[in-house]
């Protein structure tokens, strides 16, 4: 019964759409920064070590993407279905997008969380939640936004599956290195 | 429930677990242990990370930072001109462990390890495993990368988290087998060396957890550590635990043993124990030094504050070493044990530079303590000749009656060698973080000391394509008067020697 209820809220297709967005954002960030750091790794690692390191990093990207989509699905389960209105796909892509924008902002803003006090955590957390809630209602009420988000997810599908394939290869390499 | 008992149980369990992960129990060579000769001396090799001899009162520092070390030195041999091989953990520790300079072992970048071919050229390998039980531990994950590389020559190797109170690093929990790649992945994921992290969310979440653990731990122990709990951001520990563990090893290890214990204090953050807080709130000022071209954005006032915090942290480190020494002394464990006390590199608070991640090689960073106590030694001996960390490998092999490999770049330290020390000997410190491991040294700083003179050569930096400094350490120990232009003949002679040396080294990588 619970599974039926979950299926009613989150269709497999919608789940895939959100996962595609998560994979895309996390992998694009990872690959860009791996490529940026590669020249400095060439100074200190041999090719086998670089190969291994990149495998761990891409494995981490797959885990990160999976955890993000699961987190989004978890939130979707908590939200009453009358509010979600079968828009899991668009709402999920929206949440993945604003999470990514927030994370990129924090990274490029040079924030040092290790020096944060409680107030900074509360302020940043509140800002994120308010933005997410605002965007949630925007998606719920403005069909144009929903269409854009769904279309975005569709356009990312091909590339995201390439990333998924590379990430799975990386997982296999990590397993082989540790057997 | 008694939390102390709980913790010990956890520590024991961790030891077993990590040993199991390595596939080699702590004392795996049972047959070998039975055949060991208990008359051979034990060696307890203690490295305190980032301890500058220029801040140690045994070496004449104005603040009394090390009264306990002085007590130890009264029955030991004190080396007054001992120098590190590099200016941070990786090259400094590698040079100690391999008895070679960074240009040979090539571990001169952050998180790097020694090149293939040097994996078997290390102190653990040279100590005969059939004769000695060899164990190692370090708090420092960069040093652990090296110890892990030498693990096949160790009967026991604990990971850093084994003696930690809080470990927030998830990747540390992964199997040790692929430690090097995991370490680099860890650095890349978290952007630990100033780069942008390759993970979108991991660092943000990890740092939030780290911050939470640190605040919680600091609240819990604020009566003992008012400035916060010691450790690196992701790994918090108490030096007291490591000292107790060290004593426990001395008590229980099959003899003879070679134990390498590399402890993080007084490495930053400088969070001393309560009784040492503000003990150096004095009016003493170090000599003023000009701002260096590699100076960072740190004011003289900040440098003074950092120096004081560092000195107070040294006092705590010294107290803990004193506690260990006292226990060893009282227990009679020193009757057949050599104790080696040293550091992998120093720390500087001058010329607009704070810390040790810098291209410079001034004495604050390169001059480190070395004190060696022989079994039953009762009289202090002072050695003033030039010595280097690369000398420790041949010296320890010599005093334990083992063969010295021909590839070491070190010599047997006085007074243990029959030969008198060579007055023309040159020693070196190398900084080459941004140079390729596989190519000639083209972007590096090299310090060469010969007699009283120290030549520092900067090469290949965008700020300083080529620059030399020459100091007479006998009359100018603070390195304030650059003689490179005023003593052209001497400068040319030393520069020529260094150039020839580097040419020989670089030819291997052309």
């Amino acid at each position: 019964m619970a599974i039926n209820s979950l299926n009613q809220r989150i269709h497999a297709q919608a789940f895939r759409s959100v996962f595609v967005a998560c994979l895309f954002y996390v992998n694009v960030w990872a690959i860009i920064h791996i490529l940026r750091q590669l020249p400095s790794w060439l100074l200190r690692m041999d090719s086998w070590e670089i190969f291994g390191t990149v495998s761990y990093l891409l494995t981490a990207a797959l885990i990160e993407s999976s955890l993000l989509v699961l987190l989004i699905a978890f939130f979707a389960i908590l939200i009453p279905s009358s509010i979600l209105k079968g828009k899991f796909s668009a709402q999920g892509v929206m949440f993945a997008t604003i999470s990514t924008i927030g994370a990129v902002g924090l990274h490029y803003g040079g924030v040092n969380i290790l020096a944060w006090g409680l107030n900074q955590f509360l302020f940043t957390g509140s800002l994120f939640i308010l933005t997410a809630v605002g965007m949630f209602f925007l998606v719920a009420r403005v069909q144009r936004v929903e269409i854009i988000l769904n279309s975005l997810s569709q356009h990312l599908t091909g590339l995201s599956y390439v990333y998924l394939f590379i990430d799975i290869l990386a997982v296999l390499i990590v397993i082989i290195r540790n057997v | 429930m008694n939390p102390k008992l709980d913790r010990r149980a956890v520590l024991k369990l961790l030891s077993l677990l990590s040993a199991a992960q390595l596939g080699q129990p702590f004392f795996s060579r049972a047959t070998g242990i039975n055949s060991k000769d208990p008359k051979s001396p034990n060696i307890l090799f203690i490295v305190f990370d980032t301890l500058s001899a220029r801040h140690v009162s045994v070496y004449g520092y104005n603040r009394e930072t090390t009264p306990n070390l002085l007590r130890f030195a009264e029955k030991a041999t004190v080396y007054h001109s001992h120098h590190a091989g590099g200016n941070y953990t990786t090259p400094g520790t590698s040079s100690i462990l391999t008895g070679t300079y960074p240009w040979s072992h090539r571990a001169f970048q952050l998180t790097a390890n020694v090149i293939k071919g040097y994996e078997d050229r290390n102190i653990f390998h040279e100590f005969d495993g059939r004769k000695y039980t060899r164990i190692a531990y370090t708090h420092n994950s960069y040093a652990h990368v090296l110890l892990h590389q030498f693990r096949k020559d160790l009967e026991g190797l604990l990971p850093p988290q084994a003696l930690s109170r809080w470990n927030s690093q998830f990747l540390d929990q992964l199997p040790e087998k692929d430690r090097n790649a995991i370490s680099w992945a860890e650095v890349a994921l978290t952007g630990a060396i100033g780069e942008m992290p390759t993970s979108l969310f991991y660092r943000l979440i990890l740092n939030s957890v780290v911050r939470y653990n640190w605040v919680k731990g600091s609240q819990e122990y604020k009566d003992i550590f008012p400035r916060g709990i010691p450790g690196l951001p992701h790994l918090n520990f108490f030096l007291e635990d490591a000292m107790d563990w060290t004593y426990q090893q001395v008590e229980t290890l099959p003899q003879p043993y070679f134990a390498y214990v590399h402890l993080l204090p007084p490495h930053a953050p400088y969070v001393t124990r309560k009784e040492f807080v503000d003990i150096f709130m004095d009016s003493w000022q170090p000599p003023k030094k000009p701002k260096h071209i590699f100076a960072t954005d740190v004011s003289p006032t900040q440098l003074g504050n950092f120096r004081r915090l560092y000195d107070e942290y040294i006092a705590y480190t010294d107290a803990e070493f004193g506690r260990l020494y006292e226990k060893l002394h009282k227990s009679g464990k020193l009757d057949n044990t050599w104790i080696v006390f040293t550091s992998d590199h120093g720390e500087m608070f001058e010329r607009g530079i704070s810390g040790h991640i810098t291209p410079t090689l001034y004495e604050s960073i390169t001059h480190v303590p070395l004190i060696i106590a022989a079994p039953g030694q009762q009289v202090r001996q002072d050695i003033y000749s030039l010595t280097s960390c690369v000398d420790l490998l041949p010296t320890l092999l010599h005093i334990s009656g083992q063969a010295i490999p021909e590839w070491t770049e070190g010599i047997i330290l006085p007074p243990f060698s029959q030969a008198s020390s060579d007055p023309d000997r040159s020693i070196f410190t190398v900084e080459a973080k941004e140079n390729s491991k596989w190519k000639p040294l083209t972007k590096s700083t090299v310090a060469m000391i010969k007699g009283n003179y120290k030549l520092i050569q900067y090469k290949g930096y965008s700020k300083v394509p080529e620059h030399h400094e020459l100091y007479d350490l006998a009359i100018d120990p603070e390195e304030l008067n650059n003689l490179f232009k005023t003593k052209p003949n001497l400068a040319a002679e030393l520069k020529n020697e260094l150039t020839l040396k580097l040419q020989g080294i670089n030819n291997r990588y052309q």
Side-chain angles (χ1 to χ4, degrees), chain A residues 45-90:
Chain A
M45 295 187 229
D46 62 31
S47 47
W48 176 241
E49 289 167 329
I50 291 175
F51 194 61
T53 303
V54 171
S55 300
Y56 279 101
L57 297 177
L58 293 178
T59 301
L62 180 61
I63 294 170
E64 212 169 26
S65 314
S66 307
L67 289 177
L68 182 59
V69 73
L70 289 174
L71 183 74
I72 293 168
F74 176 71
F75 287 150
I77 292 166
L78 295 182
I79 296 169
S81 53
S82 57
I83 297 178
L84 195 61
K85 289 178 184 168
K87 293 184 177 177
F88 173 73
S89 171

Side-chain angles (χ1 to χ4, degrees), chain B residues 98 104-105 114-122 149-150 407:
Chain B
T98 64
S104 295
H105 60 65
V114 300
I115 50 168
K116 286 184 177 62
Y118 275 76
E119 285 168 336
D120 289 336
R121 293 183 176 186
N122 67 76
Q149 205 179 2
F150 305 145
W407 44 257

Side-chain angles (χ1 to χ4, degrees), chain A residues 19 30 34-35 46 52 60-61 66 70 82 87 105 108 114 125 131 151 166 175:
Chain A
F19 187 43
I34 287 170
L35 292 175
D46 62 31
S66 307
L70 289 174
S82 57
K87 293 184 177 177
Y108 278 101
L114 292 174
T131 309
S151 164
I166 296 170
I175 292 169

Side-chain angles (χ1 to χ4, degrees), chain B residues 368-390:
Chain B
V368 290
L370 174 64
I371 304 175
I372 300 178
Q377 183 171 349
Q378 294 299 319
V379 179
R380 172 170 168 160
Q381 193 168 8
D382 291 276
I383 303 291
Y384 292 92
S385 56
L386 270 180
T387 59
S388 165
C389 70
V390 300

Side-chain angles (χ1 to χ4, degrees), chain B residues 51 53-71 74 272 275-276 278-282 284 307-308 310-319:
Chain B
L51 180 56
R54 296 302 177 102
H55 288 252
V56 169
S57 50
V58 172
Y59 292 98
Y61 188 50
N62 279 45
R63 288 170 170 161
E64 199 184 352
T65 49
T66 55
N68 292 287
L69 192 60
L70 183 62
R71 203 153 43 84
E74 289 310 320
T272 198
E275 61 263 43
F276 304 103
D278 294 343
I279 59 169
F280 296 126
M281 288 286 276
D282 48 32
W284 176 73
R307 173 185 282 267
R308 181 175 60 79
Y310 175 66
D311 290 345
E312 291 172 1
Y313 199 30
I314 291 176
Y316 158 57
T317 305
D318 171 74

Side-chain angles (χ1 to χ4, degrees), chain A residues 114, chain B residues 7 14 137-142 144 158-173 186 206-207 209-211 213-214 229-239 262-265 267-269 271 313:
Chain A
L114 292 174
Chain B
R7 172 160 175 72
L14 269 172
Y137 173 75
T138 179
H139 285 131
N140 188 325
S141 52
Y142 290 171
H144 182 67
L158 279 185
Q161 66 267 23
L163 299 183
S164 71
R165 294 263 172 160
W166 296 272
N167 174 29
S168 313
Q169 194 85 301
F170 164 71
L171 291 177
D172 281 352
Q173 317 299 327
E186 203 167 51
L206 177 75
N207 284 357
V209 173
V210 167
R211 182 66 183 162
N213 279 341
W214 190 84
I229 46 174
L232 292 168
H234 305 102
L235 189 81
N236 298 110
F237 55 80
F238 291 169
L239 183 56
H262 184 142
L263 306 158
L264 196 66
H267 189 290
V271 284
Y313 199 30

Side-chain angles (χ1 to χ4, degrees), chain B residues 382-440:
Chain B
D382 291 276
I383 303 291
Y384 292 92
S385 56
L386 270 180
T387 59
S388 165
C389 70
V390 300
D391 300 334
L392 284 165
L393 181 144
T395 302
L396 296 183
L397 290 170
H398 175 75
I399 61 179
S400 57
Q402 298 177 92
I404 297 167
E406 45 77 30
W407 44 257
T408 179
E409 290 172 273
I411 59 164
I412 301 167
L413 288 166
F416 309 114
S417 164
Q418 299 295 326
S420 56
S421 55
D422 176 9
D424 285 335
R425 182 187 188 210
S426 300
I427 62 161
F428 305 91
T429 306
V430 181
E431 145 64 29
K433 260 186 236 67
E434 295 177 39
N435 197 93
S436 170
K437 191 171 183 170
W438 326 108
K439 292 185 178 165

Side-chain angles (χ1 to χ4, degrees), chain B residues 52 165 180 355 412 433 497 502 506:
Chain B
S52 170
R165 294 263 172 160
N180 292 342
I412 301 167
K433 260 186 236 67
E497 182 184 332
L502 285 171
N506 284 343

